[in-house]
Amino acid sequence: MHPSEADILDHMSVESLFPRLEALLPRVQKPIQYVGGELNSTVKDWDETTVRWALMYPDAYEVGLPNQGVQILYEILNELPETLAERTYAVWPDLEALMRSEGVPQFTVDAHRPVRAFDVLGLSFSTELGYTNMLTALDLAGIPLRAADRGDEDPIVLAGGHAAFNPEPIAEFLDAAVLGDGEQIAIAITEVIREWKTEGSPGGRDGLLMRLAESGGVYVPRFYDVDYHPDGRIQRVAPNRPGVPWRIHKHTVMDLDEWPYPKKPLVPLAETVHERFSVEIFRGCTRGCRFCQAGMITRPVRERSITTIGDMVEAGVKASGFNEVGLLSLSSADHSEIGEVAKGLADRYEGTNTSLSLPSTRVDAFNIDLANEFSRGGRRSGLTFAPEGGSERMRKVINKMVTEEDLIRTVTTAYTQGWRQVKLYFMCGLPTEEDADVLGIADLARKVIKAGREATGSRDVRCTVSIGGFVPKPHTPFQWAGQADHETVDRRLRALREALRGDREYGRAIGIRYHDGKPSIVEGLLSRGDRRIGEVIRAVWEDGGRFDGWSEHFSYQRWMDAAEKTGVDVDWYTTRERGENEVLPWDHLDAGLDREWLWQDWQDAVNDVEVEDCRWTPCYDCGVCPTMGTEIQIGPTGKKLLPLTVV
């Protein structure tokens, strides 16, 4: 880059792109999503800050704005002196085309500054299907797609979120990745960048990346080489320069009460997928469901205290005006004081327009007292439960210890207490699954309706069955499993649909929703892929791939064509079972889980052996607590929520 260009960029960097963007907005769908200025958003003076972050959730505004991770980091970073954080989201294809023709680069929604002017572009990936949107944003921003081609003027492109636990498929596009909780490491990275800039940026971009890598808390893919066996398996992943650690460790925030964020939730201008204020009541899960990456990589369990939850709800409702509060976690009803939390909050907000919701409940942790507290102030809409497997054997394989009796008892109670609609969530294509296991879903749904009719004496009860395709994920016992091919998944789902449709007694009371098996294969390719998959992602993007997480934009054929063009065997990455000693692409990235423990759990799965939750039983040596220097943190604290004086 010529000095003159750099000067221009620096001068432009503080100018808002809004005048140029505004001219395009009348020509696009939902222009409101690009305007910014939401309640509780922050705009800081560019020239009074040293370190500047652009935070991106690589999806549309309506999906990205409610994302907890981005909101928390946005608030924490903006609280730091000399630091600013702004947000950017994926733009829809209609605006992308106009931005290209008019030369308007990727912008932040807060102050409409060009993304390329920032020090860091931090992307939060909760799903792999956002990878093509990342490439669009980089390209629109004028940032070279490949990390190796970037210069000192370009931001550090940094990935986090659950999908960053295997960032290898996008390694060539990333400068760095961070595993685990972001609160503390984001502050540490900011400090490293501030020092480096204050010292006059010694060593340029490479010097900064080296400082980040040396800590062991940031993964810089370019500092590692991957060698392959002749048959395509990985031989080893090794650092290619001194001072770079062999393994990268995840970050775990141990005292959630010290981090009560978001304090001032962003209130969207356009409609979004979740119109509520969410409070995370605990982080981590030790139920040990073998398919669940989120549960495995967020261990150990760390609860927020009942008083902190109460304070967060009070502050968040006051700051946002939201009238629904969601108590968030992987399995919210497992909080050791959930009964007290629910009663305390229901007492507090009774007679106001604030309602409470529990987005994720386990069948065996749900009880009617809880349900009544949550529906005290409002309507009884639907209840959602996730048995995941259609047969008792299948639930043993995946370690989802929910019996048919548990489910029928819970659902019956709900129907008798006035609920009329129950949603059941299952997966298809699980390891060792057979046709009969999937048809078992129909039997279960029939029993649910039958029990509901008997309990209420009414035929006015409904049950919706929702089914997702199973994708084996890194850092889980199923990371070695062969994925079911999409033909098998589709055939089983068709048989299930026919079984329900043809049922004259119960069929009309049971709804069924499912996705075909093809998107799961692409997700499987991306979730367990290695660096050779980067070419496929780029080819898909060049062929017009955008918003792959949206069924109306997803094209299976586009992905298969790209794989063929780049010489990638999709089956080798998806339906092939891995051996115990194969080096997996993410083995150098440490989620704290002992590899031998994961392998043993995979063997237990194949033999239908269940494992208890270590929250209430002795330790199973998964490795997290000793490796990470952490421990399970649960109540009871014995405290109660005091009523608010003025609501």
Side-chain angles (χ1 to χ4, degrees):
M1 194 183 226
H2 307 296
S4 57
E5 266 187 74
D7 296 341
I8 293 164
L9 186 74
D10 200 51
H11 175 66
M12 267 184 56
S13 65
V14 288
E15 282 186 18
S16 169
L17 295 166
F18 195 68
R20 295 164 63 195
L21 176 70
E22 195 175 19
L24 311 180
L25 294 182
R27 297 155 66 185
V28 301
Q29 296 263 310
K30 293 193 199 165
I32 186 82
Q33 64 190 315
Y34 306 118
V35 173
E38 302 94 340
L39 180 64
N40 297 328
S41 62
T42 307
V43 174
K44 289 173 105 170
D45 186 325
W46 185 270
D47 296 320
E48 287 184 10
T49 56
T50 317
V51 182
R52 305 164 185 128
W53 288 71
L55 297 172
M56 180 175 198
Y57 189 84
D59 205 328
Y61 177 91
E62 62 203 81
V63 181
L65 183 122
N67 180 262
Q68 282 287 97
V70 172
Q71 287 209 26
I72 289 169
L73 292 181
Y74 176 75
E75 203 170 305
I76 286 174
L77 290 167
N78 278 319
E79 280 181 6
L80 298 175
E82 292 188 46
T83 306
L84 70 76
E86 298 189 12
R87 295 161 294 128
T88 185
Y89 302 103
V91 299
W92 285 107
D94 58 354
L95 182 58
E96 182 193 336
L98 289 170
M99 286 164 69
R100 289 187 186 283
S101 65
E102 301 297 322
V104 176
Q106 180 81 21
F107 55 88
T108 59
V109 294
D110 297 284
H112 298 92
R113 290 163 173 151
V115 165
R116 189 169 177 225
F118 288 76
D119 297 304
V120 188
L121 170 58
L123 296 121
S124 177
F125 289 104
S126 38
T127 156
E128 298 83 1
L129 294 172
Y131 293 161
T132 47
N133 284 356
M134 168 184 69
L135 296 186
T136 306
L138 289 172
D139 192 54
L140 284 172
I143 300 167
L145 295 188
R146 292 177 63 237
D149 300 334
R150 293 179 195 139
D152 291 356
E153 311 80 24
D154 294 302
I156 295 295
V157 178
L158 173 77
H162 288 183
F165 275 81
N166 177 24
E168 293 301 276
I170 49 172
E172 69 171 297
F173 313 120
L174 295 179
D175 292 297
V178 166
L179 314 183
D181 299 336
E183 288 93 337
Q184 290 157 321
I185 187 66
I187 295 174
I189 289 171
T190 302
E191 193 47 36
V192 170
I193 296 171
R194 194 186 62 74
E195 276 180 18
W196 172 78
K197 287 181 85 168
T198 311
E199 290 167 22
S201 313
R205 186 181 194 82
D206 216 51
L208 174 57
L209 290 171
M210 194 62 202
R211 288 186 185 201
L212 291 171
E214 281 170 337
S215 66
V218 179
Y219 174 50
V220 179
R222 73 165 70 170
F223 294 159
Y224 295 81
D225 291 333
V226 183
D227 301 319
Y228 301 95
H229 289 293
D231 66 0
R233 289 175 305 127
I234 292 172
Q235 187 179 345
R236 71 169 200 162
V237 179
N240 56 24
R241 58 171 76 190
V244 176
W246 281 83
R247 299 202 78 186
I248 311 296
H249 304 291
K250 77 163 180 183
H251 299 271
T252 306
V253 169
M254 278 319 291
D255 187 352
L256 289 183
D257 283 352
E258 278 184 14
W259 300 89
Y261 295 89
K263 297 171 184 170
K264 294 181 174 170
L266 292 163
V267 182
L269 295 173
E271 192 180 339
T272 59
V273 289
H274 296 303
E275 300 277 339
R276 62 174 177 232
F277 170 48
S278 296
V279 173
E280 189 183 22
I281 61 174
F282 70 85
R283 201 171 280 182
C285 181
T286 44
R287 286 283 188 167
C289 302
R290 294 175 173 128
F291 57 84
C292 180
Q293 185 189 41
M296 292 288 169
I297 62 179
T298 59
R299 292 177 172 216
V301 171
R302 292 144 285 148
E303 287 188 355
R304 274 206 167 100
S305 68
I306 181 168
T307 43
T308 301
I309 294 168
D311 294 345
M312 286 178 72
V313 171
E314 184 190 353
V317 168
K318 206 176 278 177
S320 67
F322 279 123
N323 59 8
E324 184 188 336
V325 176
L327 300 186
L328 218 66
S329 88
L330 291 173
S331 178
S332 300
D334 280 339
H335 190 288
S336 61
E337 295 185 292
I338 188 65
E340 290 79 6
V341 170
K343 184 176 185 326
L345 290 173
D347 286 347
R348 210 174 243 200
Y349 292 99
E350 187 155 27
T352 70
N353 68 346
T354 303
S355 66
L356 304 170
S357 67
L358 210 55
S360 61
T361 1
R362 283 182 59 100
V363 172
D364 49 350
F366 174 89
N367 64 54
I368 216 60
D369 298 336
L370 202 55
N372 285 336
E373 295 296 3
F374 278 99
S375 62
R376 203 196 291 180
R379 54 203 170 78
R380 308 206 157 180
S381 44
L383 287 173
T384 303
F385 299 107
E388 310 287 1
S391 67
E392 202 85 12
R393 183 190 75 81
M394 210 62 248
R395 291 191 289 277
K396 280 186 173 158
V397 169
I398 62 180
N399 206 44
K400 184 90 184 191
M401 293 172 288
V402 172
T403 64
E404 194 173 289
E405 290 71 46
D406 285 336
L407 182 66
I408 300 299
R409 186 179 60 244
T410 301
V411 172
T412 306
T413 316
Y415 284 136
T416 52
Q417 294 292 318
W419 271 271
R420 288 289 166 265
Q421 173 81 19
V422 168
K423 187 171 169 190
L424 301 177
Y425 184 80
F426 296 92
M427 280 190 289
C428 181
L430 289 159
T432 78
E433 179 184 272
E434 291 165 2
D435 295 5
D437 296 308
V438 177
L439 286 172
I441 296 171
D443 294 333
L444 210 49
R446 286 188 196 104
K447 287 174 182 167
V448 161
I449 294 294
K450 183 168 186 275
R453 286 176 179 175
E454 284 170 4
T456 58
S458 155
R459 290 180 76 82
D460 177 31
V461 289
R462 283 195 52 77
C463 165
T464 305
V465 169
S466 184
I467 307 167
F470 166 67
V471 179
K473 295 278 178 170
H475 307 285
T476 69
F478 289 162
Q479 64 183 3
W480 291 278
Q483 186 173 348
D485 59 71
H486 69 86
E487 294 87 353
T488 303
V489 169
D490 289 345
R491 180 176 56 74
R492 285 177 182 158
L493 290 173
R494 272 197 307 274
L496 174 64
R497 192 184 61 194
E498 296 312 316
L500 286 171
R501 278 197 178 159
D503 187 326
R504 297 179 63 173
E505 175 64 7
Y506 298 110
R508 300 184 77 166
I510 301 168
I512 178 169
R513 288 191 197 147
Y514 62 85
H515 296 290
D516 68 302
K518 287 176 176 172
S520 299
I521 289 292
V522 172
E523 200 185 322
L525 173 71
L526 297 175
S527 93
R528 291 194 292 173
D530 53 39
R531 294 187 179 186
R532 294 168 289 192
I533 300 300
E535 280 188 277
V536 182
I537 298 167
R538 184 167 183 160
V540 166
W541 175 78
E542 285 171 347
D543 191 26
R546 308 286 188 274
F547 291 94
D548 285 296
W550 296 67
S551 49
E552 61 269 40
H553 292 273
F554 174 81
S555 159
Y556 179 72
Q557 200 49 53
R558 186 187 280 140
W559 281 93
M560 294 308 110
D561 293 346
E564 194 175 331
K565 185 175 144 193
T566 53
V568 165
D569 178 351
V570 175
D571 290 345
W572 192 83
Y573 283 99
T574 55
T575 56
R576 174 179 72 94
E577 190 169 313
R578 279 67 162 166
E580 181 178 5
N581 298 320
E582 176 168 344
V583 176
L584 303 171
W586 51 90
D587 275 347
H588 58 299
L589 304 170
D590 183 13
L593 297 153
D594 182 57
R595 199 177 191 273
E596 286 164 23
W597 177 82
L598 283 172
W599 177 262
Q600 187 50 55
D601 208 41
W602 167 228
Q603 300 314 299
D604 285 347
V606 178
N607 296 312
D608 308 350
V609 178
E610 294 174 305
V611 180
E612 293 284 338
D613 183 342
C614 66
R615 231 170 310 192
W616 328 114
T617 59
C619 170
Y620 285 105
D621 288 332
C622 76
V624 169
C625 293
T627 313
M628 297 286 158
T630 57
E631 59 187 348
I632 288 178
Q633 294 180 346
I634 53 173
T637 59
K639 292 186 177 163
K640 293 270 183 282
L641 282 187
L642 298 171
L644 294 182
T645 41
V646 180
V647 173

